[in-house]
Tab-separated table of all heavy atoms in Angstrom:
chain	number	residue	atom	x	y	z
A	1	LEU	N	-4.689	28.877	-6.170
A	1	LEU	CA	-5.353	27.760	-6.817
A	1	LEU	C	-4.343	26.986	-7.623
A	1	LEU	O	-3.575	27.526	-8.411
A	1	LEU	CB	-6.465	28.288	-7.720
A	1	LEU	CG	-7.663	27.386	-8.023
A	1	LEU	CD1	-8.378	26.995	-6.720
A	1	LEU	CD2	-8.608	28.081	-8.967
A	2	ALA	N	-4.373	25.640	-7.501
A	2	ALA	CA	-3.415	24.820	-8.196
A	2	ALA	C	-4.051	23.479	-8.580
A	2	ALA	O	-4.995	23.015	-7.938
A	2	ALA	CB	-2.184	24.543	-7.307
A	3	ARG	N	-3.508	22.882	-9.681
A	3	ARG	CA	-3.922	21.540	-10.079
A	3	ARG	C	-3.226	20.537	-9.195
A	3	ARG	O	-2.023	20.603	-9.021
A	3	ARG	CB	-3.626	21.348	-11.568
A	3	ARG	CG	-4.406	22.245	-12.465
A	3	ARG	CD	-3.701	22.502	-13.824
A	3	ARG	NE	-3.503	21.273	-14.594
A	3	ARG	CZ	-2.299	20.830	-14.981
A	3	ARG	NH1	-1.206	21.488	-14.631
A	3	ARG	NH2	-2.219	19.721	-15.679
A	4	ILE	N	-3.977	19.560	-8.692
A	4	ILE	CA	-3.387	18.539	-7.821
A	4	ILE	C	-2.652	17.504	-8.678
A	4	ILE	O	-2.926	17.373	-9.868
A	4	ILE	CB	-4.452	17.863	-6.944
A	4	ILE	CG1	-5.536	17.230	-7.823
A	4	ILE	CG2	-5.064	18.906	-6.004
A	4	ILE	CD1	-6.529	16.416	-7.047
A	5	GLY	N	-1.766	16.759	-8.065
A	5	GLY	CA	-1.028	15.713	-8.727
A	5	GLY	C	-1.845	14.455	-8.949
A	5	GLY	O	-2.936	14.310	-8.378
A	6	LYS	N	-1.288	13.499	-9.715
A	6	LYS	CA	-2.009	12.273	-10.011
A	6	LYS	C	-2.349	11.441	-8.722
A	6	LYS	O	-3.428	10.858	-8.626
A	6	LYS	CB	-1.173	11.420	-10.934
A	6	LYS	CG	-1.057	11.968	-12.365
A	6	LYS	CD	-0.202	11.044	-13.216
A	6	LYS	CE	0.015	11.606	-14.630
A	6	LYS	NZ	0.944	10.777	-15.413
A	7	ALA	N	-1.413	11.411	-7.784
A	7	ALA	CA	-1.659	10.646	-6.574
A	7	ALA	C	-2.894	11.164	-5.816
A	7	ALA	O	-3.727	10.374	-5.327
A	7	ALA	CB	-0.442	10.639	-5.665
A	8	SER	N	-3.044	12.465	-5.762
A	8	SER	CA	-4.186	13.048	-5.094
A	8	SER	C	-5.460	12.813	-5.907
A	8	SER	O	-6.539	12.559	-5.338
A	8	SER	CB	-3.993	14.561	-4.919
A	8	SER	OG	-2.977	14.831	-3.950
A	9	CYS	N	-5.368	12.842	-7.205
A	9	CYS	CA	-6.516	12.501	-8.054
A	9	CYS	C	-7.003	11.086	-7.783
A	9	CYS	O	-8.210	10.813	-7.650
A	9	CYS	CB	-6.205	12.653	-9.532
A	9	CYS	SG	-5.848	14.362	-10.080
A	10	GLU	N	-6.048	10.131	-7.657
A	10	GLU	CA	-6.383	8.785	-7.394
A	10	GLU	C	-6.960	8.587	-6.012
A	10	GLU	O	-7.878	7.796	-5.744
A	10	GLU	CB	-5.182	7.854	-7.595
A	10	GLU	CG	-4.642	7.819	-9.041
A	10	GLU	CD	-5.706	7.313	-9.996
A	10	GLU	OE1	-6.630	6.597	-9.598
A	10	GLU	OE2	-5.573	7.634	-11.210
A	11	GLN	N	-6.412	9.373	-5.039
A	11	GLN	CA	-6.904	9.314	-3.694
A	11	GLN	C	-8.376	9.761	-3.640
A	11	GLN	O	-9.214	9.121	-2.968
A	11	GLN	CB	-6.067	10.238	-2.799
A	11	GLN	CG	-6.454	10.241	-1.334
A	11	GLN	CD	-5.562	9.385	-0.505
A	11	GLN	OE1	-4.711	8.632	-1.006
A	11	GLN	NE2	-5.718	9.451	0.802
A	12	ARG	N	-8.701	10.813	-4.369
A	12	ARG	CA	-10.069	11.299	-4.408
A	12	ARG	C	-10.976	10.259	-5.062
A	12	ARG	O	-12.072	9.965	-4.598
A	12	ARG	CB	-10.153	12.604	-5.166
A	12	ARG	CG	-9.473	13.772	-4.441
A	12	ARG	CD	-9.585	15.053	-5.223
A	12	ARG	NE	-9.031	16.201	-4.481
A	12	ARG	CZ	-9.074	17.476	-4.871
A	12	ARG	NH1	-9.690	17.768	-6.024
A	12	ARG	NH2	-8.568	18.404	-4.137
A	13	ALA	N	-10.468	9.672	-6.166
A	13	ALA	CA	-11.303	8.668	-6.867
A	13	ALA	C	-11.612	7.479	-6.004
A	13	ALA	O	-12.721	6.875	-6.050
A	13	ALA	CB	-10.562	8.242	-8.143
A	14	GLY	N	-10.677	7.085	-5.131
A	14	GLY	CA	-10.894	5.951	-4.258
A	14	GLY	C	-12.047	6.056	-3.321
A	14	GLY	O	-12.560	5.056	-2.832
A	15	ARG	N	-12.507	7.286	-3.089
A	15	ARG	CA	-13.656	7.469	-2.199
A	15	ARG	C	-14.946	6.917	-2.774
A	15	ARG	O	-15.915	6.698	-2.091
A	15	ARG	CB	-13.826	8.980	-1.878
A	15	ARG	CG	-12.715	9.570	-1.062
A	15	ARG	CD	-12.547	8.834	0.228
A	15	ARG	NE	-11.572	9.476	1.118
A	15	ARG	CZ	-11.261	9.003	2.315
A	15	ARG	NH1	-11.850	7.887	2.748
A	15	ARG	NH2	-10.372	9.597	3.085
A	16	ALA	N	-14.958	6.704	-4.109
A	16	ALA	CA	-16.202	6.196	-4.756
A	16	ALA	C	-16.309	4.713	-4.795
A	16	ALA	O	-17.321	4.139	-5.130
A	16	ALA	CB	-16.260	6.747	-6.206
A	17	GLY	N	-15.198	3.992	-4.429
A	17	GLY	CA	-15.221	2.525	-4.550
A	17	GLY	C	-15.004	1.795	-3.248
A	17	GLY	O	-14.432	0.717	-3.236
A	18	ARG	N	-15.472	2.350	-2.165
A	18	ARG	CA	-15.233	1.705	-0.866
A	18	ARG	C	-16.221	0.611	-0.536
A	18	ARG	O	-15.811	-0.430	0.027
A	18	ARG	CB	-15.277	2.758	0.263
A	18	ARG	CG	-14.093	3.708	0.272
A	18	ARG	CD	-14.094	4.521	1.545
A	18	ARG	NE	-14.095	3.650	2.690
A	18	ARG	CZ	-15.095	3.585	3.569
A	18	ARG	NH1	-16.173	4.305	3.459
A	18	ARG	NH2	-15.031	2.745	4.598
A	19	THR	N	-17.509	0.803	-0.828
A	19	THR	CA	-18.488	-0.184	-0.402
A	19	THR	C	-19.160	-0.903	-1.589
A	19	THR	O	-19.838	-1.894	-1.407
A	19	THR	CB	-19.596	0.509	0.409
A	19	THR	OG1	-20.140	1.573	-0.340
A	19	THR	CG2	-19.008	1.068	1.703
A	20	ALA	N	-18.961	-0.379	-2.791
A	20	ALA	CA	-19.572	-0.982	-4.012
A	20	ALA	C	-18.889	-0.346	-5.208
A	20	ALA	O	-18.171	0.675	-5.098
A	20	ALA	CB	-21.063	-0.719	-4.044
A	21	PRO	N	-19.092	-0.913	-6.409
A	21	PRO	CA	-18.549	-0.233	-7.595
A	21	PRO	C	-19.032	1.184	-7.671
A	21	PRO	O	-20.197	1.519	-7.385
A	21	PRO	CB	-19.094	-1.110	-8.754
A	21	PRO	CG	-19.278	-2.462	-8.127
A	21	PRO	CD	-19.728	-2.168	-6.717
A	22	GLY	N	-18.121	2.075	-8.076
A	22	GLY	CA	-18.435	3.514	-8.086
A	22	GLY	C	-18.118	4.179	-9.397
A	22	GLY	O	-17.675	3.543	-10.360
A	23	ARG	N	-18.321	5.468	-9.395
A	23	ARG	CA	-18.154	6.282	-10.619
A	23	ARG	C	-17.446	7.562	-10.265
A	23	ARG	O	-17.725	8.179	-9.246
A	23	ARG	CB	-19.551	6.544	-11.200
A	23	ARG	CG	-19.561	7.440	-12.438
A	23	ARG	CD	-20.995	7.685	-12.839
A	23	ARG	NE	-21.072	8.550	-14.035
A	23	ARG	CZ	-22.228	9.065	-14.487
A	23	ARG	NH1	-23.369	8.799	-13.894
A	23	ARG	NH2	-22.228	9.841	-15.540
A	24	VAL	N	-16.527	7.985	-11.141
A	24	VAL	CA	-15.804	9.241	-10.919
A	24	VAL	C	-15.926	10.088	-12.165
A	24	VAL	O	-15.713	9.573	-13.293
A	24	VAL	CB	-14.317	8.967	-10.669
A	24	VAL	CG1	-13.536	10.279	-10.519
A	24	VAL	CG2	-14.157	8.128	-9.388
A	25	ILE	N	-16.320	11.306	-11.994
A	25	ILE	CA	-16.375	12.304	-13.081
A	25	ILE	C	-15.325	13.362	-12.809
A	25	ILE	O	-15.395	14.065	-11.827
A	25	ILE	CB	-17.778	12.945	-13.199
A	25	ILE	CG1	-18.830	11.886	-13.437
A	25	ILE	CG2	-17.810	13.977	-14.281
A	25	ILE	CD1	-20.266	12.442	-13.466
A	26	ARG	N	-14.309	13.378	-13.665
A	26	ARG	CA	-13.280	14.414	-13.503
A	26	ARG	C	-13.611	15.581	-14.432
A	26	ARG	O	-13.825	15.386	-15.654
A	26	ARG	CB	-11.904	13.806	-13.885
A	26	ARG	CG	-11.432	12.812	-12.821
A	26	ARG	CD	-10.137	12.097	-13.161
A	26	ARG	NE	-9.685	11.327	-12.028
A	26	ARG	CZ	-8.820	10.311	-12.138
A	26	ARG	NH1	-8.355	9.920	-13.286
A	26	ARG	NH2	-8.430	9.673	-11.036
A	27	LEU	N	-13.648	16.758	-13.867
A	27	LEU	CA	-14.058	17.943	-14.599
A	27	LEU	C	-12.914	18.553	-15.402
A	27	LEU	O	-12.739	19.791	-15.419
A	27	LEU	CB	-14.658	18.973	-13.645
A	27	LEU	CG	-15.868	18.512	-12.821
A	27	LEU	CD1	-16.340	19.630	-11.883
A	27	LEU	CD2	-16.988	18.056	-13.729
């Protein structure tokens, strides 16, 4: 188990803003 880097965090966040404004909750 490892913490992902910032680029991967941003890649994941981008999935919420493809078709309309979105929301990201980072745990």
Side-chain angles (χ1 to χ4, degrees):
L1 205 60
R3 293 155 62 240
I4 60 174
K6 291 179 183 176
S8 292
C9 294
E10 297 299 337
Q11 182 100 351
R12 292 180 176 186
R15 293 302 185 181
R18 288 192 56 244
T19 56
R23 177 183 178 189
V24 177
I25 300 175
R26 290 175 172 160
L27 301 179

